[in-house]
């Protein structure tokens, strides 16, 4: 029974998500601090490379600069080589667990939702990650954009069953 | 330290976060899920989509709290000293639309508390933010989850999503944003 509950919960967590905790270990508050540190480094790179600059996003979509394409392209290259190496050499986590990456299945949401997100991305100059960094960088009004994004997510959840997938 | 980082350094650093998160805790890289966990922890209601054990995903909230702190640290100690250097055509276009302050990450001429209560500001910030939140969840991920993590794992649905992000962005930057700026 307990197993079934856990299975259902995992299924629900995987719904419409790429990014999921695949670990079966329980982590303490202190153990979670390592994600905070990765986040901090990430936030600094976001700011210092101007990835979260509204101006740079306009430039990207207006095809006036290679900067953002270079960043995404080289990030994917490094990411793909890493994932390949992890799979090829069966690299384990520091805790000794098998590394799992759930494959994605296709649904129409990736088209409709993708287009909607793209439109919002060029308007706000931010995808979800950069919103947190822009806020931290001192653009206080971005809290409104973030709250609105949370509301958008909530409304999606509310009407999920009625949307084409 | 007050110069922007080049793409060929920043890109690989971001790519490295994929193996780092996998190796330190079996976590797949992504940010937009944090918005869902905030919904699930604060106002799940009776919506099944939000009734899961969000504590299992609390690492993701630590991660985004870190991104927020990273933004603060960068602004205090490492801020890019000059205004952003952008293509002259974009600079002209923005100037024609009243955007001349290029110093922050977002154009202060629009992204401010006064403009928020105008139609222009409402569309840019509130509607734009809503589309980001709704669209990323509908698509099942954002730039980090699909475009970086998904493509790195050679998932074709992530490629479809990434192409759609770009199409949406082109439509928005060429048609919608200029329209809103002209209001």
């Amino acid at each position: 029974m307990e197993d079934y509950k856990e299975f259902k919960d995992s299924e629900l967590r995987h719904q419409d998500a790429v990014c999921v905790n695949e670990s079966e270990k329980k982590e303490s508050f202190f153990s979670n601090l390592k994600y905070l540190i990765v986040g901090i480094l990430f936030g600094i790179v976001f700011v210092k490379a101007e990835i979260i600059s509204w101006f740079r996003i306009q430039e990207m979509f207006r095809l006036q600069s290679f900067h953002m394409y270079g960043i995404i392209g080289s990030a994917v290259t490094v990411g793909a080589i890493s994932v390949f190496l992890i799979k090829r050499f069966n690299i384990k986590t520091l805790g000794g667990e098998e590394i799992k990456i759930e494959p994605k299945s296709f649904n129409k949401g990736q088209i409709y939702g993708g287009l909607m997100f793209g439109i919002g991305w060029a308007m706000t100059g931010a995808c979800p990650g950069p919103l947190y960094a822009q806020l931290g960088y001192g653009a206080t009004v971005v809290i409104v954009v973030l709250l609105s994004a949370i509301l958008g997510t909530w409304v999606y959840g509310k009407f999920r069953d009625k949307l084409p997938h | 330290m007050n110069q922007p980082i080049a793409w060929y350094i920043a890109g690989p650093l971001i790519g490295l976060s994929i193996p780092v998160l996998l190796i330190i805790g079996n976590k797949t890289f992504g940010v937009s899920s944090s918005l869902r966990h905030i919904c699930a922890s604060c106002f799940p209601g009776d919506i099944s989509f939000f009734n899961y054990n969000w504590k299992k995903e609390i690492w993701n909230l630590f991660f985004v709290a870190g991104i927020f702190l990273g933004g603060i640290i960068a602004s205090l100690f490492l801020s890019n000293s000059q205004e952003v250097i952008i293509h002259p055509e974009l600079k002209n276009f923005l100037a024609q639309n009243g955007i001349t302050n290029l110093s922050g990450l977002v154009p202060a001429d629009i992204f401010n508390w006064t403009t928020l209560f105008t139609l222009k500001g409402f569309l840019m910030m509130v509607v734009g933010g809503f589309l980001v939140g709704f669209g990323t969840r509908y698509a099942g991920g954002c730039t980090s989850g699909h475009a970086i993590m998904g493509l790195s794992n050679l998932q074709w649905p992530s490629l479809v999503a990434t192409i759609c992000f770009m199409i949406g962005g082109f439509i928005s930057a060429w048609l919608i944003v200029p329209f809103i700026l002209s209001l």
Side-chain angles (χ1 to χ4, degrees), chain A:
Chain A
M1 195 63 209
E2 201 51 26
D3 277 358
Y4 177 72
K5 236 177 96 185
E6 216 156 88
F7 169 73
K8 284 308 281 182
D9 188 64
S10 160
E11 209 173 50
L12 196 57
R13 283 189 294 116
H14 280 84
Q15 200 168 57
D16 299 332
V18 178
C19 150
V20 178
N21 178 8
E22 301 284 7
S23 172
E24 283 168 19
K25 297 195 162 139
K26 259 200 138 102
E27 286 185 289
S28 67
F29 179 83
F30 283 105
S31 167
N32 273 306
L33 287 179
K34 56 183 186 277
Y35 305 110
L36 185 88
I37 294 165
V38 179
I40 290 176
L41 297 175
F42 206 62
I44 293 174
V45 174
F46 269 167
V47 174
K48 290 303 293 175
E50 298 175 338
I51 298 165
I52 58 175
S53 163
W54 183 92
F55 303 100
R56 287 292 199 178
I57 302 291
Q58 303 305 316
E59 245 184 357
M60 164 175 76
F61 286 128
R62 291 171 156 263
L63 301 173
Q64 292 164 328
S65 164
F66 177 72
H67 186 75
M68 291 293 298
Y69 295 101
I71 288 179
I72 297 176
S74 57
V76 172
T77 308
V78 170
I81 295 170
S82 315
V83 170
F84 171 79
L85 292 175
I86 285 173
K87 288 180 175 168
R88 174 75 180 71
F89 296 103
N90 202 8
I91 294 169
K92 302 267 193 297
T93 66
L94 293 180
E97 268 187 312
E98 187 97 26
I99 289 180
K100 271 202 292 190
I101 314 172
E102 197 78 11
K104 267 316 273 180
S105 52
F106 176 74
N107 71 63
K108 291 189 217 96
Q110 282 138 16
I111 297 175
Y112 304 134
L115 291 171
M116 291 172 76
F117 163 54
I119 291 171
W121 184 12
M123 285 163 75
T124 59
C127 29
L131 281 179
Y132 296 99
Q134 285 179 347
L135 194 59
Y137 198 71
T140 54
V141 74
V142 174
I143 189 82
V144 176
V145 185
L146 181 62
L147 290 174
S148 191
I150 294 170
L151 177 71
T153 302
W154 191 86
V155 170
Y156 170 73
K158 175 90 181 157
F159 297 104
R160 186 177 185 279
D161 299 340
K162 299 189 178 66
L163 296 166
H165 275 93

Side-chain angles (χ1 to χ4, degrees), chain B:
Chain B
M1 291 305 280
N2 294 89
Q3 293 299 313
I5 310 179
W7 66 265
Y8 46 83
I9 298 174
L13 283 176
I14 290 170
L16 275 179
S17 60
I18 291 178
V20 168
L21 288 173
L22 284 171
I23 289 171
I24 65 177
N26 229 343
K27 309 290 187 277
T28 32
F29 173 60
V31 178
S32 64
S33 292
S34 65
L35 301 171
R36 184 185 179 198
H37 306 324
I38 292 171
C39 291
S41 59
C42 299
F43 20 79
D46 56 359
I47 302 165
S48 78
F49 191 64
F50 298 125
N51 280 280
Y52 56 93
N53 179 17
W54 59 271
K55 288 187 181 131
K56 179 82 185 165
E57 300 290 346
I58 202 159
W59 75 275
N60 198 248
L61 297 175
F62 275 84
F63 182 55
V64 297
I67 296 178
F68 172 71
L69 289 176
I72 294 180
I73 293 170
S75 83
L76 291 179
F77 306 111
L78 305 158
S79 99
N80 297 339
S81 47
Q82 313 112 330
E83 54 185 37
V84 62
I85 298 161
I86 50 171
H87 196 280
E89 272 173 39
L90 179 62
K91 201 169 175 173
N92 279 338
F93 164 77
L94 293 176
Q96 282 160 15
N97 287 285
I99 299 176
T100 49
N101 183 346
L102 305 182
S103 60
L105 293 172
V106 289
D109 295 308
I110 300 177
F111 286 71
N112 62 60
W113 289 98
T114 322
T115 312
L116 176 64
F117 298 99
T118 65
L119 181 61
K120 192 194 276 191
F122 178 82
L123 288 173
M124 286 292 255
M125 290 179 262
V126 179
V127 177
F130 187 91
L131 286 170
V132 169
F134 190 101
T136 50
R137 202 68 282 123
Y138 197 0
C142 61
T143 335
S144 53
H146 273 311
I148 297 181
M149 182 67 227
L151 290 186
S152 293
N153 196 28
L154 312 178
Q155 297 291 303
W156 71 266
S158 290
L159 181 62
V160 174
T162 305
I163 291 170
C164 291
F165 298 164
M166 296 309 292
I167 295 173
F170 284 122
I171 294 171
S172 185
W174 287 93
L175 304 172
I176 302 173
V177 171
F179 172 73
I180 297 174
L181 291 180
S182 73
L183 289 173

